[in-house]
Structures are given as C-alpha cells and as structure tokens.
Amino acid sequence: MAVASAGAVGVVNTVIGMALTVATYGAINLALSRYAARTGLTVSLFSRTLFGLVGSALASLIFAATAIYYAVFEGSIIAVAFHEFFGGTMVLWYAVVVLYAIPLAMGSVQNWLDKLNGFLLPFYVAGLIAVIIAATLIRGVPTDWLGHAAAASTLPGWLTSYLIYMGVYIMMMYTFDYARLGQQKDKKFLGTVTFGWVFYAFTFGLNGLIGIYIMSAWKLAASETGVVQAFISSLGLGGVLVILVSQTRINSANYFLASENLSAFASRVFRLNLPRFVWVIVCGVLAFLLMLTDVLSYLLKALAWQGVFVTAWVAIALVYIALNWKKTHLVPDIRPARLKAISPGAIAWVLASGIGIALTEQTALPVISQLTPVITMVLAAALYYGAYKLSPPQFIDSSQSPDAIEEGLDPAITG
C-alpha cells in the first residue's frame, strides 16, 4: 500500500498520510478493543444488537468473504515467491500454500497463535533489516527515494494517501474479534500496543518505508509481485523465507476469522452447526478455487464494495460505543428471542453502504468517488444515530445474568 501510495502522490505525502492513518487507527482500535475485551462479543454477536439477527448474518458474511479474499491475496504472494525461486506451476504452489495454511487455523487458536506469531516475529524483523542491508550493498543507496514527485490530483496528496489506507478498515473487525480474547487488566496495553498506534506505527509506517526504499533501490514498479522480486533479488532464498514468515503471520488470522464468521453465518441462516475445523477446510477450498481464476480482475472491485460496508460498520460501531460508553456494568442483550430480524440500524447500514457503492461507481464526479470512504462513514454515523434514538437496544446486567448472555451465543461461535 505504501509503495502504491508513493507512486501516486509521492513519498512525502505518503508519510503524512501514514502518520494520520496511524493516529486514526490507534484511536478507533483503542475504543473497539476495550469494548470487545469488556463484553467478550464477536463481530457477529455485536452486530446482532446493531442490526438485528438478519443484519448480523450479513455482517458475518461480509467479514468472512473479505477475510477469504485476503487469504487468496496473501497466499498468492507466497505462491509467486515460490514460483519465482523454485519454478514449477502456479497451481502446484497455490495448493501448497493452502494445504499448509489450513492446519494453522484449526483448534483452539487463541492458545497458540500468540506463540506462533511470537516465534516468527524475530525472524521477520531480522529479515527486514537484512533486506535493507542487502539491497543497499547490491544496488547502492537510492538517491531519489524520498524525492518522487507527486502526480497531479484534485485532492491534496496526503489526503489521497490517507484515503488509500481507509481501504483496509477491515483491520477494525479483525481487532474486535481478537480483542474479545483479551483480559480487562491488559486493556491499556491492548489498546495502545497490541491493537493501537504502536502496532500501526510498525505495520504501516516502518514496513511502508522499507517497501518504498527497496522498490526504489531495485527501480521496480509499484506492485505486490514487485515487492516479491525485490526481496528475492536482495536475499535469494532468505527473501523467500521472509515472505513466507510475513504472509504466514497474517494468513493464520485470515483463515481463523474467515472460518469463524462463515460458521456464524451458516448457523444463523441455515441452522447448520458444524465444527469450526470444517469451516477452515471450506475456506481453504474456496481460497484455492479463487486462486485458479483471474482473481485480480475482480478482486479489487469486490474489496472496494466490501470496503464500503466495512467503513460504514466501523462508523456505526463507534457511534454505538460512544452512546453506551458509561454503561460499564451492562452488555447488549443478544438473545435471539429478544431481537428483531431487521432493526432500524440494519436499514441505516445498508442505506449508507448502498449510497457509498453508488458514489464509488459513478464517474461524473471523480473527487466524490475518491472521498467515498469519508462520506460513507459520516452518512452511516448520522443515519445510525437516528436509528438508535428511534429504537434503542436492550441491555442486561453482565454481573447478574451470565445465563442470559450464554443463552444468546450460537454453538458455532462458542465452539
């Protein structure tokens, strides 16, 4: 993303956009992570009180589909790296990356995923340092990597960069579904480091600058496959291993959350309660089949549409949390018998998202199309505020009604 942004608006504007993005992601995830840790709700369960039973199923489906798309994309990067270095057919490498990813997302993931990521992190950091040194020794210090001129645009370059990073607000949903596993005593660390500005300073800031640097050193065009080429050209087999470590870390999250939300969707809509490992396999099969198609021809369009729904979801979640921030002893009543099939909140979400998609697709006003993420968030927040006042959600006392909370959980989610 940093490389693409730098190619569009220049490095200086990208750095400004990064800084604003880190601050924004840090603030939003601070609120989301604390609320998720306090209530223990998943995105699917939280969406029940926002949108009703049918609306929450739609949220689960969109989340699952987006996570599968990302699994396809991230897995394809590993396959490209293997193909570039070892040769062979892409179909073979697609199969390999799916087959090894599936077991990583099975089982009680919260018990060992932190250990896997903790084990891999030092190798990833060492790989980043090594690729900078190697690229510099082989190619020399790129003299113009901070001086790329910004392309002409109606919007300020830094704003364009900021809008590019809004395209992955799905990270907010990832935050919510993982932060629910946290403990209350760790809320400051979770909100600041694990899911907050510290995490994104490294994820967007440091990683982005390294990506721009090595792409400039090798004078490659902005693309994910270009980054693969830069790593392999710099480190050889070591570059392949760094890519493997990097993509494995994120794909373990992709498959876990895709399976969890696909399970929740099937449980709610089809009354199909299967063990989660079955849904992990289903996600793997879907990812493999999508890899066999010309995925890039429709992937960006699909992600753009889903991105509209996700940014609207984030705005609505923030409004809800803000309106109920002081109700620390209460949790939403998520028992199916107490909820509507479709709440006014669902209508607000779909309406804001529909307008957002229409603005994205229209070509008469390119500036409006670029500003769609911001417009969608403002519109969703305003519409949901009205829906909330029209039909306030119900709550239960978390300290006195544990059975009521348990009653609202789907077997697919608790299992």
Side-chain angles (χ1 to χ4, degrees):
M1 293 184 68
V3 170
S5 175
V9 299
V11 177
V12 174
N13 283 324
T14 295
V15 171
I16 297 172
M18 279 181 186
L20 294 173
T21 295
V22 168
T24 302
Y25 274 63
I28 292 175
N29 283 323
L30 177 66
L32 294 181
S33 64
R34 289 189 175 185
Y35 189 81
R38 180 172 70 80
T39 62
L41 298 176
T42 62
V43 166
S44 176
L45 293 176
F46 181 48
S47 295
R48 282 189 189 180
T49 195
L50 298 178
F51 311 124
L53 297 176
V54 175
S56 69
L58 177 60
S60 296
L61 179 62
I62 290 173
F63 193 178
T66 305
I68 290 173
Y69 278 134
Y70 275 109
V72 169
F73 190 60
E74 306 291 355
S76 297
I77 298 306
I78 304 175
V80 168
F82 285 165
H83 181 263
E84 287 277 332
F85 192 80
F86 297 108
T89 65
M90 286 299 297
V91 174
L92 169 65
W93 294 121
Y94 286 150
V96 168
V97 299
V98 170
L99 287 174
Y100 96 81
I102 287 175
L104 296 179
M106 289 183 176
S108 188
V109 71
Q110 64 266 32
N111 291 333
W112 59 267
L113 186 60
D114 59 333
K115 295 181 177 63
L116 172 67
N117 281 300
F119 174 76
L120 293 179
L121 182 59
F123 294 97
Y124 178 63
V125 174
L128 291 182
I129 296 171
V131 77
I132 295 172
I133 295 173
T136 304
L137 291 176
I138 297 170
R139 302 288 294 182
V141 178
T143 57
D144 63 343
W145 80 285
L146 287 177
H148 291 162
S153 174
T154 306
L155 295 176
W158 60 266
L159 179 56
T160 299
S161 179
Y162 181 82
L163 292 168
I164 289 173
Y165 280 100
M166 286 189 73
V168 287
Y169 266 30
I170 189 66
M171 293 298 291
M172 314 302 186
M173 284 182 156
Y174 277 53
T175 290
F176 203 96
D177 258 8
Y178 276 112
R180 71 184 178 87
L181 303 172
Q183 300 182 53
Q184 276 294 291
K185 64 184 180 65
D186 298 325
K187 65 180 182 180
K188 289 185 178 180
F189 188 87
L190 292 173
T192 303
V193 179
T194 310
F195 304 109
W197 70 266
V198 174
F199 174 79
Y200 286 103
F202 281 91
T203 301
F204 290 147
L206 182 62
N207 284 341
L209 291 174
I210 291 173
I212 294 170
Y213 181 86
I214 64 171
M215 292 290 283
S216 299
W218 287 98
K219 299 189 183 303
L220 294 169
S223 68
E224 281 280 1
T225 55
V227 174
V228 171
Q229 294 171 8
F231 266 83
I232 294 177
S233 298
S234 300
L235 296 176
L237 179 60
V240 176
L241 294 177
V242 172
I243 292 169
L244 177 62
V245 168
S246 167
Q247 306 309 97
T248 297
R249 284 168 56 80
I250 185 59
N251 248 1
S252 59
N254 289 331
Y255 278 97
F256 172 64
L257 294 181
S259 63
E260 186 179 62
N261 282 277
L262 197 59
S263 174
F265 172 77
S267 174
R268 174 54 46 202
V269 176
F270 302 112
R271 305 296 181 188
L272 189 59
N273 296 314
L274 299 175
R276 195 176 60 79
F277 78 85
V278 174
W279 295 111
V280 175
I281 295 173
V282 170
C283 291
V285 172
L286 291 173
F288 178 71
L289 294 176
L290 287 170
M291 287 177 180
L292 297 180
T293 67
D294 184 14
V295 67
L296 292 180
S297 66
Y298 58 85
L299 178 62
L300 295 180
K301 176 75 70 176
L303 289 177
W305 282 36
Q306 289 166 200
V308 170
F309 276 96
V310 171
T311 52
W313 183 92
V314 171
I316 288 170
L318 291 175
V319 170
Y320 178 91
I321 292 172
L323 290 172
N324 299 287
W325 189 253
K326 295 182 179 180
K327 299 175 183 176
T328 55
H329 63 293
L330 299 177
V331 294
D333 190 345
I334 56 175
R335 289 172 287 182
R338 304 292 185 90
L339 296 173
K340 299 177 181 177
I342 299 176
S343 72
I347 297 173
W349 184 36
V350 172
L351 181 59
S353 299
I355 294 173
I357 290 173
L359 293 178
T360 299
E361 293 301 308
Q362 61 86 29
T363 56
L365 299 170
V367 174
I368 298 298
S369 180
Q370 287 180 275
L371 289 171
T372 294
V374 175
I375 296 172
T376 301
M377 287 198 74
V378 173
L379 185 60
L383 289 174
Y384 180 74
Y385 181 83
Y388 183 97
K389 294 299 182 181
L390 178 66
S391 179
Q394 299 183 55
F395 294 89
I396 54 178
D397 191 323
S398 59
S399 63
Q400 297 179 7
S401 305
D403 293 337
I405 300 173
E406 186 66 25
E407 183 186 329
L409 300 179
D410 287 333
I413 296 172
T414 56

